[in-house]
Amino acid sequence: MEDEDCPDLVPIGAEQNDGSPGGKIPVTIITGYLGAGKTTLLNYILTEQHNKRIAVILNEFGEGSALEKSLAISQGGELYEEWLELRNGCLCCSVKDNGVKAIENLMQRRGKFDYILLETTGLADPGAVASMFWIDSELGSDIYLDGIVSVVDAKHGLQHLTEEKPEGLINEASRQVALADLVIINKTDLVSEEELNKVRTSVRSINGLVKILETQRSRVDLSNVLDLHAFDSLSGVSLQKKLEHVKTTHEHLDKAIITVTFEVPGNIKEENLNLFIQNLLWEKNVKDKTGCTMDVIRLKGLVSIQGKSHQVIVQGVHELYDLEETSVAWKEDEKRTNRLVLIGRNLDKETIKEVFIATVREEQGNS
Ligand SMILES: Nc1nc2c(ncn2[C@@H]2O[C@H](COP(=O)(O)OP(=O)(O)OP(=O)(O)O)[C@@H](O)[C@H]2O)c(=O)[nH]1
Ligand SMILES: [Zn+2]
């Protein structure tokens, strides 16, 4: 039965479902720039009462996906009904033609879900992801695209939306807004009313029709997010029309922005970690081999802090960051380690790892 070309979706925490056959399964695409609050929204949806069996598909960068998963799980606890990971990393390129098939194979194997939430990477072109459902609608699929939700960071969104791109390159953040059926301006706690007005105006100028909601921690009435039927015959909008309107591309990843991940074993001192992060995000005195400043847009990590029994999550978006102790304890026989993911410009993995080690070195070997 299995198509060889068809990428595998990897179910995590497998447990058989017997869904009812019949009705088609809606898919909501959750998009938004790096660090805007997409995973926070997913977590929120999953913890709210919805009486649905929700499958979650993460479209994260290849290497970082294991970390992303562990971050989200440790935040969301056991509330995830399903957790799927695309083994090939990027959904837009690796499974463009087979993505729908992969999801359907999964439903066949595991029984039906009531709803599918698909989180794209912060740099993805949601149009490329959406188009895979459009192609499939003619094939009588079991799933349909319900809507595209775009999360905008109230603090950094304006910067993302107005950033000038070199000739020929499209601004990902504004494309995500242009394609959205719902825009959630999140992190309103971080801005003044005036700043919020500017972001709202900017969103409105890009997409004159879209519904705009403003949130903290992506807390939003679920009836505004799920079952939008944005592309039904009833709503009169076809996905095809929308995609024609907003140019979508294959070159969905800004070439200049890359992801680096590294792992360093041992315990580190909290103050040394702070120093490392502050040099990187605030002082901006960490340079690559050619002398260019490393510009980190997004930072995630799972680290082992000296004196703490539990794993600590590091989260950074531009210059804002915080450390949070998780509910996951390091096991007795477990090798303590620090895993970091950085997304930004001028990042070179060796240098950044060296700088990290140099900053925390004195703590190596302690436990
Ligand atoms: N102050 C504040 N922080 C928030 C809010 N919502 C989310 N955050 C924080 O912002 C950071 C990024 O949130 P995520 O939900 O991981 O963002 P994301 O869009 O999934 O990020 P990527 O997948 O890396 O692009 C985390 O540290 C969140 O705790 C908010 O309303 N206010
Ligand atoms: Zn995320």
Side-chain angles (χ1 to χ4, degrees), residues 15 44 219 317 327:
E15 169 189 307
Y44 178 70
R219 273 186 223 110
V317 181
S327 56

Side-chain angles (χ1 to χ4, degrees), residues 151-221:
V151 186
V152 172
D153 185 325
K155 175 88 182 164
H156 304 105
L158 197 61
Q159 179 192 337
H160 299 149
L161 291 171
T162 54
E163 196 172 359
E164 295 264 354
K165 293 284 162 175
E167 191 76 42
L169 277 182
I170 289 169
N171 179 313
E172 296 90 357
S174 57
R175 185 164 49 196
Q176 289 165 351
V177 166
L179 276 167
D181 301 301
L182 167 70
V183 167
I184 297 174
I185 301 179
N186 185 41
K187 309 196 189 181
T188 57
D189 54 308
L190 298 178
V191 295
S192 64
E193 188 57 42
E194 198 190 338
E195 287 173 282
L196 186 57
N197 282 337
K198 283 188 187 158
V199 181
R200 198 189 298 115
T201 305
S202 178
V203 167
R204 187 50 83 209
S205 72
I206 293 167
N207 190 331
L209 297 172
V210 75
K211 178 166 184 170
I212 302 174
L213 298 174
E214 287 153 19
T215 60
Q216 296 184 7
R217 302 268 152 206
S218 304
R219 273 186 223 110
V220 62
D221 190 329

Side-chain angles (χ1 to χ4, degrees), residues 35 52 60 65 86 106 108 115 129 131 143 159 163 166 170 177 200 211 213 217 221 231 243 281 316 320 332-333:
K52 292 180 196 294
E60 289 291 334
S65 64
L86 288 163
L106 178 97
Q108 270 173 15
Y115 213 101
V129 180
S131 63
I143 54 182
Q159 179 192 337
E163 196 172 359
I170 289 169
V177 166
R200 198 189 298 115
K211 178 166 184 170
L213 298 174
R217 302 268 152 206
D221 190 329
F231 304 105
L243 291 176
L281 304 187
L320 300 176
E332 286 266 323
D333 52 353

Side-chain angles (χ1 to χ4, degrees), residues 48-62:
E48 279 295 278
Q49 279 299 332
H50 45 58
N51 297 319
K52 292 180 196 294
R53 271 200 318 240
I54 300 181
V56 173
I57 299 174
L58 269 195
N59 177 206
E60 289 291 334
F61 285 105

Side-chain angles (χ1 to χ4, degrees), residues 38-39 58 60 68 119 298 300:
K38 300 180 290 296
T39 303
L58 269 195
E60 289 291 334
E68 172 80 5
E119 180 186 341
R298 188 77 171 100
K300 303 182 206 186

